[in-house]
Amino acid sequence: MNGASENRTFQFDKDTVYIGRSSENDIRIKEKHISRTHLKITRKGDKYSIEDLGSGNGTYVNGELIPPKKECEVNPGVPVRIGDTVFSLDEPYRNDVPSFVHPTTASDCQNNTAEIGRPLTPAKNFELIYKVSAALMQSLDIKETLEKILDYIFDLMKRIERGAIVLIDHRTGKITDVISRFKDATKDISAPYSRSVVNKVFRERKPMVLYDVLEEKGRDCSQSMEAMRVKCVLCVPLISRSKVRGVLYVDSLSRPHGFRKDDVDLLTVLSGPAATAIENAMLHSRLQDDVHDKSKILSETEKRLHKSESHLKAIFDNMKSGVIVYEGANNGNDFIILDLNKAAQRIEKVRKKAVLGKSAVAVWPWIKDTGLLDAFRETAKTNQPAHKTVSILTKEREKAWREFYLYNLPSGEMVAIYDDITDKIKAEEEHDALQEQLFASQKMDSIGTLAGGIAHNFRNILQAISGNIEYLDMAQCDRDEMKEILKRVHDSVEKAVDLINNLLQFSRKGGRFEAAHVDLSEVITGTYELGKKLFDGKIKIRLELEKGLFVKGNRSLLSQVFLNLFTNAKDAMPEGGVLTVEARKEGSTVIASVSDTGIGMDNEVQKRIFEPFFTLKEVGKGTGLGLSTSLGIIEQHKGTIKFSSTPQKGSTFTISLPLSKHQQIESVVLSNVLKHGYGQKILIVDDEEPTLMALSNLVKTLSYEAIPCRGSIDALEKADFFRPEVVLMDRNMPELDGITCMKKMANKHPGTRFIIVSGYEDSGSQGIDEETRALIRGYVVKPVGLETLSEILSQALVS
C-alpha cells in the first residue's frame, strides 16, 4: 500500500475483508476521499475478487474504473486505487502505474468528498450548454434568464429536487439577489439553500460537492445539512473576468447521489455563460445610469463584438437612450447613417429602413441649424468625446430638446448617444416659473409687512395733527385767516391718508373695503372730469362708454385705477397723441380699455411694469406704485388687468370686471351733524403722547369727560377708579397690547364698551379672532376725525 498507509502490509486471516474509513472495517484507512465502507475483498483459493460497495469516489483497477456493486477478479501485483491510496495483493505493484488527477477539487467544508476522474461530457450536456447560451442571448433580464437555466438543469438532473442561483457583490461579499425554487412546479414557494455551502464556495472560488451528507455524520457541516434534511449538494461558483458574481446551487432532500460524477464539470461549464449574463446586465444598467459609463461600456462592447455580435445587438436594440452610428462623408462635412436602435426610431418617429444610408443633414436638417453638425465634425476631427444639448422644432412644429454625447469608435465610425429631455426641460422651466412666483410673493409679503408698519406709525402722527387741527378749528371758529390755514393743513392730512391707503392697497394689506353697486361708465366719466386738467391741447381724448355697466366695488378705488392709467398715458405722449377710453358689456363681464398712441414699451419694460417701485420717470416724478396698486385693486374686485404694447406705437390696458346683477346705484347718505355727549366718562388709551392728547381734545369737544391713559398699565389702574362707559383703545402698545388689556378690563368691568382706534386695519397686523370681536363696539383707523368719533361714540353708548 502507499498513500496514507504507505509501505504497510496487512495479512489476511479470513476470506472476506472490508476496507474503509470507519473503524468497523477490517482495514481502516483514514483518508477523506475514501468512503466509510468503501471496498470488499474476497479470497477464493489463490484467487481474489474485489467489489466496490457504492463508494463516492469509486475504485480503479490498473487505472480503470470498475462498476460498483459488482465483483471483479484481480490478479496478484495489479495496482488497485481507492482515494489517494494504491495497494496490490500478494505481490508489490510496479512503480510505473499510470497516475491520474482528481477533477476540480471540491471545497471540503470539513467533510466533503472529491469526484475522481473526468468522463467525457454526454451529447445532451452539450445540448444543455447550447440552450443556456441561446437563452442568455435572447434576454437582458437576468432573472428571466436564470429561471430558464434552472429549468434546463432540473430537466437534465432528474434526481435533484431544489435549485438556487445566488448573486453576490464581489466587492462586499453580500448577497444581492436570489432565485430559488423547487423542481416541483406545484410548490409555489422559494426553496431554502445552505448559506454555509454558498459562502464557502464564494470565499474559496471552487466547486463543492457532497454526494451523501449522512456519510459525513458527526461534523458541523453535516449536522447543518442533516437539520435541513439534505441528502446531497452540488454548488459551483459563477466566475466572470476573475470576479465571483454568484453561485449555482442544487440539492436533493430524498436521496443521496442525486447527480452523476460529471455534473460538477457540467455546472462549471454552465457557470461561464451565467456569469457573463450577470456582467452583461451590469453593463446594460451602467449604460442607462451614467453617460461616462455609456462611453466605457460601448468601448467594451465593441471589443466583444467578434465574440458575441448577437449579444451586442440585443443591448443595442434594448437601450432606452437613442443610439445612431454615423460614417463620415464628403470630406468630413456630412455624415451617413449606418445604424440606429429602436429608441432612436421611437424618439425621431422614423423607420430604420427609410433612413439607413442617407445623409444625416437630409434626414434631420436641424442638426445643421442647431450647431450639432459642427459638434459632429469636431469630434470626428479631434477624436475627443463631446456633449451638446440642442433645441429643435419637431415635424409637428413643437419645441423639443435633445441631449447628445458623441464618441469616435476605433473602427472610424462615430456614435451619437442621446435622450429626449423635453419633459425634463419643461419641468425645470415650470419649476423656475414657480420659484420666481414664490420670490415675488415673498417680496410682496415683505413689502406689505413694511407698508403696514409704516402706515401704523404714520397714522399715529396724522392722528395727532388731524385731532389738533380739528380742535383748533372749533376753538378759532371766528377767525377766517386761521380757518384757511387749518383747511390747508387738513387737506394735506387727507392727501397723506390717501398716500397711506395707496401704499397698503399696492401691498395687498389694505384689509376689507366698502363695496357698492356702481356704474363703471360713471366712475370713468367722473375720473376723467377730475383728471382732465392733466392733459394739454396736444392730446385728443375719445370716450366711448356704454351706460349701465354695473359692477360691485369701491368707487374711490376704481377711480384711482383709471386715474393712474390716464396719468401714465399722458406721460407716454409728451409730443401729443390720442387717448381712447372704451367700456362695454361682453356677456357677464364688463370690459374697459385705456389706449394711447405714445412711445410704447419694449419687452424688458413689459416684464417689469407691475413690479413695485419700478418706474421710467425721473426721480421725484413717479413712485413706481401706480400700476402695482392698480393691479391689487382690480384683483380685489375679482377682475383682471392685461396690456399690450408696441414700441413707438402705443399701449393698451384692458380691465375685465364681473357684471353685477344689481342694476341700480346704491346711494350712501352721510350726516354732518355732530352728536354730543353729556359728560359720560371716556377712557382714552394710547402710548403716543401727541396722539393721546389730540384724541382727548376731540372727546372733550364732544362734551364727554376725557380720561387719557399713557399705555395699558395706566389704563387698567384708571379703569378701576373711574369705571368709564366707553374705552378708546389703541391696539399696539409696549408692555401690554390693547387686545389683551381690553380682555382683562372686560373681565373686571363687564358693562364697559370698547372701541379700537388703531393705525392698523382691522385685518392686521395679526388679525382679531371672533371671540375678541364680540367685545368690540367699533373699530376706526387713524386718523379719526371729529364727525367719525362723534358717530361711533354715540352708537357705542346706545347699543
Side-chain angles (χ1 to χ4, degrees), residues 455-463 501 504 759 761 781-782:
H456 171 261
N457 295 331
F458 202 23
R459 280 171 170 165
N460 276 327
I461 296 171
L462 292 177
Q463 179 65 67
N501 290 337
L504 290 176
E761 307 288 337
V781 178
K782 298 174 183 176

Side-chain angles (χ1 to χ4, degrees), residues 10 168 196 210 504 512 582 754:
F10 292 90
I168 302 173
S196 61
L210 300 175
L504 290 176
R512 298 186 297 274
E582 300 176 318
F754 296 94

